[in-house]
Amino acid sequence: MHVENMNGLELMQAVVCGALPHPNMADTIPMKFISADKGVVVFEAIADDRHTNPLGGVHGGFAATVMDSVTGCAVHTMLDAGVGYGTIDLNVKMLKAIPKNMPMIAEGKVISMSKSLGVSEGKLVDKNGKVYAYASATCMILLPKKS
């Protein structure tokens, strides 16, 4: 099956199982797709020395990027083949300093879908479920152009 013929859930599940390569952003911000179901995605993310700010802590952009990814991918699981999306609003709350070299779990979940907008939320937690970042996002649904 070609990517252009896959709906959003099929595409995300193909990345999870390795039938499709992970996005290049997952090399820059190490993220591994763990699971994808309708309206929900789970990633593993690990910050390292490449993601530090001048003070040596993990830059807030790490959490923001992970949150943008899981909230957007959750919306993507709800889309038909050929339909795209773009984040138009991302609100991230950084609740705790992100540790380096520690696997974190990021989960994105759709909370509302319409023909034009998808609204989702995400959280970044440690193995014990402690929340390090929380986000809400709004995505514009991009319908294919009619010929």
Side-chain angles (χ1 to χ4, degrees):
M1 183 178 263
H2 295 286
V3 172
E4 58 272 2
N5 297 325
M6 299 173 115
N7 67 36
L9 179 58
E10 291 168 336
L11 192 145
M12 291 291 119
Q13 289 177 335
V15 175
V16 169
C17 76
L20 287 176
H22 67 261
N24 292 335
M25 178 56 82
D27 292 329
T28 304
I29 302 290
M31 292 180 277
K32 178 183 176 190
F33 286 55
I34 302 297
S35 65
D37 293 302
K38 192 165 187 121
V40 180
V41 297
V42 178
F43 293 0
E44 179 184 79
I46 304 173
D48 59 37
D49 287 331
R50 296 174 296 165
H51 308 111
T52 57
N53 61 30
L55 298 174
V58 174
H59 189 281
F62 177 87
T65 301
V66 173
M67 292 293 89
D68 186 40
S69 296
V70 295
T71 56
C73 287
V75 168
H76 197 171
T77 66
M78 304 289 286
L79 302 179
D80 292 332
V83 178
Y85 71 94
T87 302
I88 58 173
D89 178 67
L90 178 67
N91 186 317
V92 181
K93 304 289 186 206
M94 281 108 172
L95 305 172
K96 297 187 178 306
I98 305 294
K100 286 191 293 187
N101 303 314
M102 185 171 99
M104 306 286 285
I105 298 297
E107 180 179 4
K109 185 186 306 183
V110 171
I111 58 176
S112 178
M113 282 295 294
S114 72
K115 292 179 181 178
S116 58
L117 295 175
V119 179
S120 56
E121 62 183 0
K123 61 183 178 177
L124 185 62
V125 302
D126 66 14
K127 66 179 180 178
N128 298 316
K130 186 178 291 185
V131 180
Y132 286 73
Y134 173 83
S136 60
T138 304
C139 297
M140 178 178 13
I141 307 305
L142 305 169
L143 299 173
K145 293 180 181 175
K146 295 182 181 187
S147 306

